[in-house]
Amino acid sequence: MRRTGRVLLVIAVGLLGGLAGLLLGGRVDTPVGPTNVALTLRWSWHGGTTIAIPPLGALHLDTHWGPIALRAQVTELRLAAAREFIESSNISDQALTDKIAGQLWHGIWIMLLRAVLCALASAFIAGLLIFRSWKRALSGSGVALAGMVAVSLTAWLSFSPSSLAEPRYTGLLANAPRVVGDARNLVERFTSYRAQLARLVGNMSRLYAATSTLPTYEPDPSTLRIVHVSDIHLNPAAWDVIRSVADQFQADLIVDTGDLMDHGTRAEDKFADDIRNFRVPYVYVRGNHDSRGTQKAVARQKNGVVLDNATREIENLRIYGVGDPRYTPDKSTRGDSVGDTQMHAEGLRLAEKLRASGSLPDIVLTHDPAEGSAFSGLTPLVLSGHLHKRETSLLPTGTRLFVQGSTGGAGLRGLEHEEPTPIELSVLYFSRATHRLQGWDDLRLGGLGLTSAQIERHLEPNPDRPVTPPAPSPAPTPSSPFPSLPPSQWPTTPPSQWPTTPPSRP
């Protein structure tokens, strides 16, 4: 019995010493992508994994059973590294995923190695102090090693991959399931909403064509049809609406006046791949939420036509387009104090070059109508967006300035107001003989989650009106402080000589 007692005491000292060393050494801080993550092993009768994201709360996963639990806590988000990580252009998405997984596994293996070494050392030291015998101390280390093998086998055999889809939330994250709902149901609801919008547009357009009693302009087979969209802001529902309108109205091309994306990051570039599904050319100019990478993503599509201070002849129409000189996707971190005065001055500079070339276009595309208005007198029609509100005006020179609403319902930002921002797009009808706008149909759908719809036809009162150059204007005054600087050098804070702060722009 005395021998048995000694054996049991050695086992108990080995296990307790090993457990203490395991918990003491099972800690490591490791970089994972743009974050620093603290990995720790903790005592728990129920095992499992906890992912803590202060101050939002934590997710608890029943990944395994056993006396040891894993806790991963985000300790720091490196903002500069996060932006570089998202906008990286020299590494593929799969490589980014593999890099994150590799960093995480590297941290876990380092933590486990430290934990095992500390457990063995702690068990040996505990045995040496209590028994004052290196043989019994080694026996205690062996017991600790056997205990860790048993714990590892238990965790491995009880591992449940399905637990990753069934997390428990605490803290502020506890509201996430109630607000967002199950991820699978959310996808199903959104897919249903997209299909519902597409059917709605199709039925609406058929009904409109069948019941229209307008005694005036009626499109004929020789009419050129253009679908004008703008400010999609990464809303995938917009693709179904555009496709339905393009098919129902037999569009010859689609014109997009910018803000296809929300932040212009490389991660968003795949959104442009849906452009290739259209059977007609997709003519695009960059918006202030679109980066140069966004522009390249559109240009890679087989039917994508990017215009950036260039003129192209498409369907016998001469179309000039210019990308927005600004890149201000995030209003919380980047100022956007370049207002209408500077944008109009930049447009005047480009318009003068276009006038000097002697090749005047049938349509001019700009993202910001303030810049587009500078082309007054050079073209019969200027198409733009940016304001998330549709409007049109006939300028004194005979040029029509057409501002499109948001075809994406302003994306997620469309939910910031009491009523969701409506989805708006238009079908423009041109004469193939004169290249002039004859009329247009405005389509308006309820914002995200709504299914109301209306369509309205407008006629150009004098399609063949003359377009005359504007009256000479004096040189810019100091009230427009930056016209001599290239857009890349425009400041992002209002100058002191401005009497008032420029209005907020989308």
Side-chain angles (χ1 to χ4, degrees), residues 10-27 41-45 66-69 114-124 126 140-141 143-149 151:
V10 169
I11 293 175
V13 170
L15 290 178
L16 292 176
L19 179 60
L22 187 72
L23 299 181
L24 182 65
R27 301 170 182 269
L41 296 178
R42 294 190 170 191
W43 171 264
S44 171
W45 287 112
I68 300 297
R114 289 180 56 180
V116 169
L117 293 178
C118 286
L120 295 177
S122 178
F124 181 83
S141 297
V143 171
L145 181 60
M148 287 186 290
V149 171
V151 169

Side-chain angles (χ1 to χ4, degrees), residues 125-148:
I125 293 174
L128 197 61
L129 291 175
I130 294 176
F131 301 111
R132 299 187 182 276
S133 167
W134 64 269
K135 290 184 178 180
R136 292 180 180 177
L138 285 177
S139 299
S141 297
V143 171
L145 181 60
M148 287 186 290

Side-chain angles (χ1 to χ4, degrees), residues 333-458:
T333 58
R334 303 185 186 186
D336 185 19
S337 299
V338 176
D340 291 352
T341 304
Q342 289 84 351
M343 292 301 297
H344 187 75
E346 175 66 8
L348 288 175
R349 184 182 68 82
L350 296 171
E352 187 58 35
K353 287 186 176 181
L354 186 61
R355 182 182 290 106
S357 70
S359 179
L360 301 184
D362 299 309
I363 307 175
V364 168
L365 309 180
T366 67
H367 178 63
D368 194 321
E371 184 179 20
S373 63
F375 293 87
S376 177
L378 289 182
T379 178
L381 181 64
V382 176
L383 301 180
S384 62
H386 187 58
L387 302 183
H388 299 175
K389 181 180 179 182
R390 183 165 50 204
E391 57 186 44
T392 181
S393 58
L394 191 60
L395 304 180
T397 60
T399 295
R400 178 173 292 281
L401 177 61
F402 192 102
V403 183
Q404 187 58 268
S406 173
T407 310
L412 290 179
R413 72 192 65 225
L415 299 175
E416 294 175 351
H417 310 291
E418 186 174 343
E419 290 292 332
T421 302
I423 295 174
E424 296 181 318
L425 67 165
S426 301
V427 181
L428 313 179
Y429 301 100
F430 288 80
S431 167
R432 291 186 181 270
T434 65
H435 300 174
R436 289 295 190 92
L437 180 68
Q438 306 295 307
W440 64 93
D441 291 335
D442 285 335
L443 290 84
R444 178 186 177 102
L445 303 177
L448 191 61
L450 304 179
T451 53
S452 62
Q454 70 179 52
I455 183 170
E456 185 177 358
R457 174 159 295 174
H458 304 269

